[in-house]
Amino acid sequence: MPAGVVRFNTRASGKVGGSEENQFHLHELFDVPLRTGRNLIAVEIHQENPGSSDIRFDLKLTGSDQKLSQVGLVRGPYLQVGTASSMILRWRTRRPSSSVVRYGAAPDQLKGKVEIEEKSIEHEVLIKGLKSRTRYFYSIGDGEEVLAGGDSDHFFFTSPQSGSNGPVHAWIIGDSGTANANAKAVYNAYIKVKGDRYTDLWLMLGDNAYNSGTDKEYQRAVFDLYDNLLPQTPLWSTRGNHERSAEVYYGIFNMPTDAQAGGVKSGTEAYYSFDYGNIHFICLDSYDTDRSASGDMFKWLKADLEATAQTFIVAYWHHPPYTKGSHDSDRDNDSGGRMRDMRETFLPLLEKGGVDLLFAGHSHCYERSYLINGHYGKSDTFNNSMIVNKGDGKPRGDGPYEKPSPDKGANKGAVYIVAGNGGKISGGKLNHPAMYLSLNELGSVILEAEGNCMDVRLLDYRGQVRDNFRITKGD
Ligand SMILES: [Fe+2]
């Protein structure tokens, strides 16, 4: 159900179909005002679509006079809006409880403490006053009981100071929300390949939980799946078309509406920017925000691009400007014209602002362009004058894509990546002429930057590197 007040005519935020119709769901009710003798319990069923032809309902009620179970951790801990001086810790419990986070330099030295006395099942604790690029161990609990942490697995690193050149390691997945063996294989391959390397940040490109982005689907596709990464690495998401419920999506994620992590204040969770080291990350909403050049998102992006002095600019949103995979960016009626809108309206502004790299999902494949500039039409208008560097970008191949420093970087080329291959692959012609490589393979992307170098790799679900390229910044 959506958040907020539920009335008799409130529609469900997702539908139940197939084998799910036979599943029973356990709901524990606490502090229920039952009395001795006869009690009346009313139950409502809400449909997503009032025209649905069927409905099914069975109820079993089990009473107990036992002392109810402990608070119970249902979800998390997971990390949001990591900055150089703060971190938000989120988790969910079965029973309402107060929220306590203890943190410190070692698992047995958790000297810092933040406590929120108000009881809730959704826990959200902001830790402030931290040192940059520093490891903090932590535990979460309700004041009486530690629910997780206080061990070597529960820690995070704060971000480096904005503009610092130190190494950055990011993991990027798109359309990963199948909650099946494919998504698990992509995740396991990454965990194995990264080894002991800490993942500084993690981008999700939307369609994070199929089929409708319900809270239950998020539990399976995100919280149950990425078990080792969630407690250690801040997760930044953009909204896909399968995140149908804004309430669920924005209820799960915290976004930097107030430029907490750098950039220009967006005032909305739908689009935002943040700095990590010498990279400026920009998240746009291609699904449910005004995509016109007179809209607030466009105005904000213009201001944000003008304000940044970072070495690299990396943008991400869900609907790709160029794709010939399971979606076709040439078809105006594909995905409500969102791919066309983002290409025609936002690419000229981003390229003028010196964007280096764009990640999108939506098409369930991997497509990666040459270093290109100025392609805003359909694929049959693409020509050689739009290719800034027609090499493969590989240090051991044709050489890296070299770009001037950002203040001289307007319209010097960007690489466009579709990485909607995190949970399923769905074929397509895979013949967009802007692409150096198009693959119908499950996988994820690793981005690493240090100094003037940024390296990008496609890691397939078996752990093989199937593509790589480098962008360097000169004088
Ligand atoms: Fe999508």
Side-chain angles (χ1 to χ4, degrees), residues 175 205-207 210 239-243 318-320 327 335 361-364:
D175 302 67
L205 304 175
D207 292 359
Y210 289 110
R239 189 175 171 198
N241 52 300
H242 285 269
E243 270 83 32
H318 185 64
H319 296 84
H327 291 279
S335 310
H362 197 46
S363 249
H364 306 135

Side-chain angles (χ1 to χ4, degrees), residues 75-108:
R75 170 178 297 183
Y78 63 104
L79 307 173
Q80 297 282 281
V81 196
T83 80
S85 64
S86 67
M87 186 68 78
I88 295 172
L89 278 73
R90 296 278 308 262
W91 70 95
R92 180 184 290 179
T93 50
R94 197 175 297 128
R95 292 196 69 178
S97 76
S98 56
S99 313
V100 177
V101 172
R102 294 177 189 277
Y103 60 97
D108 58 355

